[in-house]
Amino acid sequence: METKHNRLEIRDFSLYYHRTKALEDISMSIPEQKVTAIIGPSGCGKSTLLRSINRMNELIDGVAVEGEIRLDGEDIYGRNIDVVELRRKVGMVFQRPNPFPKSIFENVAFGVRMGENGRAKDNLDQVVESSLKEAAIWDEVKDRLHRSAMELSGGQQQRVCIARALAVEPEVILMDEPASALDPIATAKIEELIFRLKEKYTIVIVTHNMQQAARVSDFTAFLMLGKLVEFGATDRMLTNPGNKLTEEYITGRFG
Amino acid sequence: MNNKRRIGDNIRIGLTGSAVLLIAAILAVILGTIIIGGYKSLSCEFLTKPSTDGMTAGGIFPAIFGMVFSLLIMLIAVVPVGVATAIYLHEYARPGLLLTKLIRGAVNNLAGVPSIVFGLFGLGFFIQFIGGGLDHSLGQSGLFGQPCILWASLTLALMNLPMIIVATEEALRAVPQAERAGALALGATKWQTIRHVVLPQAVSGIMTGVVLTISRGAGEVAPIMFTGAAYYLPYLPKLPTDQFMTLGYHIFVMTTQSPDIDATVPIAMGATLVLLALTFSLNLVGIVIRSHTRSQLRKGR
């Protein structure tokens, strides 16, 4: 019963951008309640792979996919899948903080408000509070919930964006280099947060920073030129890579 | 060498500067003539009384009333259609598609059509084809198949459609793509994203387009002279199927058709002053709305 531990299964997944193959035959299992890092040189397709998991690539013209990505055993590219529902189960945090020009409260409440059943419209206050606490930003913003999220620093904005994703109660959280636009202190806070969030969520993080992958992830996938070169436990892979290309990349011979 | 360059620079500053001065001078002369010639006519009665004695005395109230009436109907017609078109073109249509390019080209070409052509089109299409057809099927004559506010306003709406579409598209383009992605990634539908994230930020830009549309609609004569504007009416229009007087056309009629041009000129000048003041203050309102929504957005309301 593999699927029990592997919430996400990527099987023979390829992605074409017009005629170009951007991802080629990728197969990997992403274990539940762990942090899986996707690393690789720029342009290797790591963000593309990440964005395939919540079907954000569909926003780009000329993208076609082959193969399967299974979430809880069901192919997310299947015919019966409602992409809106999928994105509520698979949250995303972007490279640059992208809060809406609304209040902090409204940012976090947004996903809940957009939900079909209008769940918890009455305990919205509670949802916002618990999400902000979970994202370790509550103490910094509790007195200014109705001020604009745009007034916050980059690191605070990114944590509000994480809170915003958590408020929808996703199962999986995708993070696309979530700290690359932040200073070292803000980065440390985000990493600490990721470490705590994996108790509850399955996290996939794209990073170009090897140390970051080592610090936060349990498993690592190394991608190059759209192909999966190696996948395994982070400890093992960074200390004793099984593939020559991986070794060359992590020792900084290219990148 | 250095000296030569400095002289060249000064010449260029002089040339561009005098172009600016020229423009400012022309504007000052136009405004000055109108203000000097027209301010004496201005009074409360001038704005609230109809014109009398073959347009050699009295006020311009029916023209103001008719203008507001027709501009309201124009806005009701043009804003929803224009905004919807822009939303479709910018948010839904695939940019590479030939059809999208064709529609966008058509919109741009529509903007280049002379206003008199819109007037003739309104006469042929709205009055004779649609209006005449309606009358025919209702078994009456002369209700819809004649010039009236409705057809004049629709003709103005058609003429101003590109302005609203372009302004709205511009406003939509200014909303960062990252915010759309953020909303979609939270499980918002496409429409929810547009409604709750994109449009609130685009409102100020759309309002600018609306205000420009009103200004332009108020100033245009050609599209309405065949489709609804009346030379002179002794009564105010009550229904969209009535004819109407409007400021721009009224000025044209006064200055070309008056039996006593010396008595009419001050009135025409006064009417022109009112028209200018109206369009200027409309633009001012537009600017205020824009900066207000902008600062509200920045505050995150």
Side-chain angles (χ1 to χ4, degrees), chain B residues 199-284:
Chain B
L199 282 183
Q201 295 184 69
V203 158
S204 61
I206 297 172
M207 284 315 287
T208 314
V210 169
V211 167
L212 284 176
T213 300
I214 299 175
S215 290
R216 187 157 174 237
E220 278 290 348
V221 173
I224 55 168
M225 54 198 275
F226 308 126
T227 53
Y231 181 92
Y232 177 76
L233 288 175
Y235 52 84
L236 292 177
K238 286 184 199 68
L239 295 170
T241 48
D242 292 334
Q243 289 197 32
F244 67 115
M245 292 174 74
T246 186
L247 217 41
Y249 189 54
H250 190 53
I251 292 165
F252 169 73
V253 169
M254 280 193 289
T255 47
T256 54
Q257 318 284 315
S258 167
D260 178 2
I261 192 69
D262 291 331
T264 308
V265 161
I267 301 175
M269 286 282 206
T272 312
L273 188 56
V274 171
L275 183 58
L276 274 182
L278 267 171
T279 46
F280 279 14
S281 45
L282 273 176
N283 289 346
L284 204 67

Side-chain angles (χ1 to χ4, degrees), chain A residues 54 56 59 61 84 87-88 90-92 94 98-103 110-111 113-114 146-148 150-151 164-165 168, chain B residues 94-97 178-190 192-193 196-197 200-201 296-301:
Chain A
N54 65 347
M56 287 298 277
L59 305 180
D61 222 18
V84 169
R87 288 177 187 152
R88 298 183 77 80
V90 184
M92 186 167 214
F94 295 80
N98 57 348
F100 306 124
K102 299 172 186 282
S103 70
F110 184 84
R113 284 197 202 279
M114 296 302 117
H146 297 282
R147 302 267 297 275
S148 173
M150 307 304 253
E151 293 169 6
R164 184 172 79 173
V168 194
Chain B
R94 285 170 49 197
L97 221 60
E179 285 175 22
R180 289 185 182 84
L184 291 171
L186 286 168
T189 62
K190 187 107 191 182
Q192 284 176 326
T193 303
H196 297 285
V197 175
Q201 295 184 69
Q296 286 293 58
L297 264 181
R298 220 170 279 136
K299 277 189 228 140
R301 293 291 141 82

